[in-house]
Amino acid sequence: MAHHDDEFAEYFAAKRDSVRRTAYLLCGDWHRADDLAQTAFVSLHRRWRRIRDRTAVDAYLRKTLVRAAIDESRRPWRREQHTDEVPEPRGTDTGDALAERVSTREDLLAGLAKVPSKQRAVLVLRYFEGLDVSSVARALGCSEGNVKSQTARGLANLRAVLGEEVDTRGRAAG
């Protein structure tokens, strides 16, 4: 039993930060990201001793995380409330390039928050996690065709929200 707990603790320590970052990309809020990551790790811990194929642990954890994010987004108290007032952008004195990068990142995260949760999950897994279509389909428990259509719809929605072309190689083009 102690051996399994040690294995899990080691796995948790190695994956904690990357799972939390992925959760943040899925929900756009660090506190909710912590909750989602915790939910995924608790679920994994419950099944840890029964997992025979340790190479499938990452996929199981990713699938659990994405499903938790989608489930949370459907809860009525989690629905976002949009406002017409935009907060003043934060100034920075560390250089134009950093300010541009931060601005682009904030725009992208705000745009992702406005994309429906399943489309957002597909975009995060495809373009931030770098998974191929078949891996995303396995993670979400759907067909590859569904992943492709959700990707196309998600990119179209993200383009509409951002009001510009979205370069799927990882950059926003103006």
Side-chain angles (χ1 to χ4, degrees):
M1 181 142 152
H3 172 69
H4 290 294
D5 288 340
D6 291 343
E7 272 185 336
F8 181 80
E10 185 178 314
Y11 181 81
F12 173 77
K15 296 295 181 174
R16 167 185 50 211
D17 292 337
S18 66
V19 169
R20 185 173 179 254
R21 279 190 301 270
T22 300
Y24 177 76
L25 290 170
L26 290 168
C27 71
D29 177 85
W30 283 112
H31 297 290
R32 284 180 57 207
D34 289 336
D35 291 345
L36 293 171
Q38 179 179 347
T39 298
F41 278 116
V42 166
S43 176
L44 176 63
H45 186 262
R46 281 191 208 123
R47 290 164 183 78
W48 187 257
R49 279 177 256 198
R50 294 182 300 216
I51 297 173
R52 291 187 183 138
D53 182 6
R54 293 290 191 218
T55 61
V57 173
D58 288 347
Y60 175 82
L61 184 62
R62 188 179 302 113
K63 185 176 193 172
T64 304
L65 180 66
V66 169
R67 286 186 175 171
I70 291 170
D71 289 347
E72 278 292 305
S73 72
R74 292 178 177 156
R75 296 202 169 120
W77 61 84
R78 291 289 193 192
R79 293 195 182 121
E80 296 178 23
Q81 295 180 352
H82 298 283
T83 179
D84 292 334
E85 295 179 31
V86 178
E88 290 295 319
R90 289 183 237 154
T92 180
D93 56 357
T94 58
D96 291 339
L98 178 61
E100 178 63 28
R101 208 167 57 235
V102 168
S103 174
T104 301
R105 179 183 168 90
E106 288 175 356
D107 291 343
L108 179 60
L109 292 174
L112 274 173
K114 294 178 183 175
V115 173
S117 60
K118 182 120 184 204
Q119 293 172 11
R120 181 172 52 243
V122 170
L123 294 177
V124 167
L125 293 176
R126 289 278 288 129
Y127 298 109
F128 291 94
E129 288 290 311
L131 298 180
D132 60 15
V133 173
S134 62
S135 297
V136 174
R138 280 192 306 277
L140 297 177
C142 63
S143 70
E144 291 183 19
N146 187 280
V147 170
K148 291 174 185 178
S149 66
Q150 291 293 322
T151 301
R153 289 183 190 127
L155 287 173
N157 283 332
L158 189 57
R159 285 182 183 111
V161 167
L162 295 176
E164 59 186 37
E165 283 298 312
V166 176
D167 182 348
T168 58
R169 293 173 302 219
R171 299 179 306 251

